Amino acid sequence: MKLILCFGVILMLTACAGGDRGLRDLRANGGGPDEFGVLPVGALVLPNDVTNLPTPTPGQSNRTDPRPNADAVAVLGGNPNALIPNGIPAGDGALVTAASRNGVDPTIRQTLASEDAAFRTRQSRFGFIRGRDRYFSAYARQALDAYSELQRFRNAGVATPSAPPQ
């Protein structure tokens, strides 16, 4: 009986090992080249007038850098330069102005990352033993139920044209 009990405990412990991280594991598994590390760039073009070359802009993009969104807009007949005037997409200018009216914290990403890590550490009980990603279980109480929110908005009389039919 003790042998069967020991075997059952060992079987349960081995079943808990590993874990599937799925799409949240972005590490390369093989020893080969990273297919996302090789980027096709535009062709080099020799300008007609080499005496009036544009001044270099260190740290900025150049004419050979890939711009897939701008390329797609150009192929579809749009103006790719209208996508990002001054680094802010045209449709988001008013939003950025309203959000930054009280100032902008330049270290907000680092602050949020450290606060998030601290929150997930507090929420995981014995997470180091389980060895799996506890992101979704840590934030489960803060998640919204999309269908109940949709019903709440519909009950309040808010038009929801992009929502799926009932």
Side-chain angles (χ1 to χ4, degrees), residues 10 15 17 25 31 36-37 40 60 80 82 90 113 115 119 121 128 130 132 139 142 147 155 162 164-166:
I10 290 173
D25 187 7
F36 296 109
Q60 302 297 321
E115 289 176 359
F119 175 77
T121 301
F128 61 91
R130 292 184 199 139
R132 54 177 219 222
Y139 287 104
Q142 297 178 13
Y147 292 107
N155 291 343
S162 63
Q166 293 183 8

Side-chain angles (χ1 to χ4, degrees), residues 66-80:
R67 302 181 332 165
N69 291 341
D71 294 342
V73 168
V75 166
L76 294 173
N79 180 7

Side-chain angles (χ1 to χ4, degrees), residues 21-63:
R21 291 179 57 92
L23 294 176
R24 293 181 56 81
D25 187 7
L26 302 177
R27 294 172 293 186
N29 294 331
D34 184 10
E35 62 271 11
F36 296 109
V38 179
L39 296 174
V41 295
L44 294 175
V45 178
L46 184 65
N48 295 333
D49 184 15
V50 293
T51 58
N52 294 325
L53 293 176
T55 58
T57 55
Q60 302 297 321
S61 64
N62 60 46
R63 290 186 280 180

Side-chain angles (χ1 to χ4, degrees), residues 19 34 47 62 64 67 88 92 96 105 133 146 151 162 166:
D34 184 10
N62 60 46
T64 62
R67 302 181 332 165
I88 300 171
D92 295 340
V96 171
D105 182 9
D133 190 357
Q151 192 59 45
S162 63
Q166 293 183 8

